[in-house]
Amino acid sequence: EAGVVQSPRYKIIEKKQPVAFWCNPISGHNTLYWYRQNLGQGPELLIRYENEEAVDDSQLPKDRFSAERLKGVDSTLKIQPAELGDSAVYLCASSLSQGDGYTFGSGTRLTVV
Amino acid sequence: GQNIDQPTEMTATEGAIVQINCTYQTSGFNGLFWYQQHAGEAPTFLSYNVLDGLEEKGRFSSFLSRSKGYSYLLLKELQMKDSASYLCAVRDSGGYQKVTFGTGTKLQVIP
């Protein structure tokens, strides 16, 4: 069984440019999460989906960040425009339900220069 | 809100036992997770506790005391490959059932 698949693995962009990250969760996992992890810190939740519905986006900086999970399967996280402080690892995770442990993808390491 | 506290770093010897503590404060508690994260890799799920007591899983065990807001992860028969960061994460009982991660404990296993 394939795990959570994320792409790209690495991304370097100039500030003010847009960037998008893609995630394909484990088949059958209804719950999908996007987390951001800064160096030496724990992951911080950006948004959680139950199927195609965003049920917790309270920590998503909505002025520049957006996300979608149109068919309740794969998901895209976008930043436009990117700022220097957005440099981090963006992790996607999925679970069967809210009560289960998460399976994380390998992450996208974003560097904004 | 939630506040999670873990030691920043620990060092232990191969073959020994190490205990990584986690204390938390939350307005409502609905479970505690432990994750392992090797450098440059994604976190992997280790354990989940929602009731008081000890959960054993091979060389790893996790303990929870809800009344004390305290958990620990116990690693036995340490191996070099256990060198990693160990993240404690707490789920609250609010409408969002939000899971908040601690900053992690970086464990170095030495020969």
Side-chain angles (χ1 to χ4, degrees), chain B residues 4 20-24 29-35 45-51 55 62-66 69-73 87-92 99-100:
Chain B
I4 300 171
I20 302 174
N21 296 324
C22 171
T23 58
Y24 62 89
F29 176 84
N30 194 22
L32 185 145
F33 300 85
W34 283 97
Y35 285 83
F45 171 74
L46 290 178
S47 68
Y48 172 64
N49 295 68
V50 65
L51 300 176
E55 296 277 346
S62 57
F63 172 83
L64 175 67
S65 169
R66 289 172 296 172
Y70 168 68
S71 173
Y72 67 72
L73 181 70
L87 300 163
C88 172
V90 173
R91 182 168 63 207
D92 67 30
V99 174
T100 300

Side-chain angles (χ1 to χ4, degrees), chain A residues 85-96:
Chain A
D86 296 332
S87 295
V89 175
Y90 290 82
L91 293 163
C92 178
S94 71
S95 63
L96 270 174

Side-chain angles (χ1 to χ4, degrees), chain B:
Chain B
Q2 297 182 25
N3 187 37
I4 300 171
D5 194 30
Q6 305 179 236
T8 304
E9 293 181 347
M10 299 182 70
T11 301
T13 305
E14 190 177 14
I17 299 173
V18 70
Q19 178 174 311
I20 302 174
N21 296 324
C22 171
T23 58
Y24 62 89
Q25 295 172 317
T26 180
S27 53
F29 176 84
N30 194 22
L32 185 145
F33 300 85
W34 283 97
Y35 285 83
Q36 180 191 61
Q37 187 174 27
H38 286 99
E41 297 182 13
T44 55
F45 171 74
L46 290 178
S47 68
Y48 172 64
N49 295 68
V50 65
L51 300 176
D52 291 350
L54 187 69
E55 296 277 346
E56 297 187 71
K57 197 183 288 186
R59 293 190 299 114
F60 293 6
S61 303
S62 57
F63 172 83
L64 175 67
S65 169
R66 289 172 296 172
S67 62
K68 295 182 180 178
Y70 168 68
S71 173
Y72 67 72
L73 181 70
L74 193 71
L75 290 75
K76 303 176 186 175
E77 302 170 14
L78 279 174
Q79 301 175 10
M80 299 300 290
K81 67 178 182 179
D82 296 331
S83 293
S85 286
Y86 291 86
L87 300 163
C88 172
V90 173
R91 182 168 63 207
D92 67 30
S93 57
Y96 287 138
Q97 298 275 302
K98 183 170 293 185
V99 174
T100 300
F101 284 79
T103 56
T105 298
K106 187 175 181 180
L107 173 67
Q108 183 180 15
V109 180
I110 58 176

Side-chain angles (χ1 to χ4, degrees), chain A residues 8 10-14 16-21 64-66 76-83 86 90 108 110-112:
Chain A
Y10 303 93
K11 190 73 176 180
I12 301 175
I13 61 170
E14 294 183 342
K16 299 184 182 180
Q17 294 302 306
V19 65
F21 316 124
R64 296 183 301 108
F65 286 63
S66 64
T76 304
L77 177 69
K78 297 178 182 177
I79 309 175
Q80 183 172 8
E83 297 179 352
D86 296 332
Y90 290 82
T108 297
L110 175 67
T111 303
V112 182

